[in-house]
Amino acid sequence: MSAQATPESVLTNLLDILEAEHEALKAGKAGKASGLLQPKMEAMQAFDVLVADPARLRDVPDVKVRMERIVTLATENADLFSAVRNGVGQAVTRVSDSNAQSYVGAYTAAGEKTAFSKATGGYAKKA
């Protein structure tokens, strides 16, 4: 956003980016949401400049509703990003622990699973 951007365009741009980010996160497209980081940061900088001069906001239609929506979306998106981070962390933990929990799908005569300790590691070659 340029320094000459109108207050209404600054709010609209930020809302559009936050809405797109929100929809991407809800759809499970974290990569798409993270691709919005640079435009979001630029929109936030323009928003910070706008909020520093509250007189510029007086003539914007529905300014209170827009500001409330910005706060709501920013909060929800932060929570969704946190959920993504936690989910990825859990997936990494499961994958790193899978070596001890991997089985060949075969069972012993007693009905117990047969461990396959090299399921996620390399194999040793016999000479």
Side-chain angles (χ1 to χ4, degrees):
M1 289 259 117
S2 68
Q4 301 298 328
T6 65
E8 189 165 353
S9 67
V10 170
L11 294 176
T12 300
N13 184 46
L14 181 56
L15 275 169
D16 289 346
I17 292 169
L18 289 172
E19 290 280 358
E21 181 182 64
H22 190 75
E23 289 305 313
L25 288 167
K26 285 182 11 183
K29 298 178 180 177
K32 182 178 178 182
S34 67
L36 296 169
L37 182 61
Q38 184 61 36
K40 182 171 120 177
M41 296 312 296
E42 291 169 5
M44 287 299 298
Q45 288 174 345
F47 179 74
D48 288 343
V49 170
L50 177 63
V51 174
D53 184 9
R56 293 182 62 202
L57 291 169
R58 287 190 190 124
D59 297 328
V60 177
D62 299 325
V63 68
K64 183 177 179 184
V65 172
R66 289 178 183 202
M67 296 292 268
E68 288 172 351
R69 184 68 181 145
I70 287 170
V71 170
T72 299
L73 282 170
T75 303
E76 289 176 7
N77 291 355
D79 290 343
L80 290 169
F81 269 120
S82 180
V84 168
R85 185 186 69 241
N86 291 339
V88 169
Q90 287 297 318
V92 168
T93 300
R94 276 190 231 132
V95 169
S96 65
D97 290 345
S98 67
N99 191 22
Q101 300 171 357
S102 297
Y103 294 92
V104 295
Y107 296 88
T108 66
E112 297 173 351
K113 292 181 181 179
T114 302
F116 187 41
S117 62
K118 301 270 186 188
T120 58
Y123 293 94
K125 291 184 178 181
K126 291 186 179 180

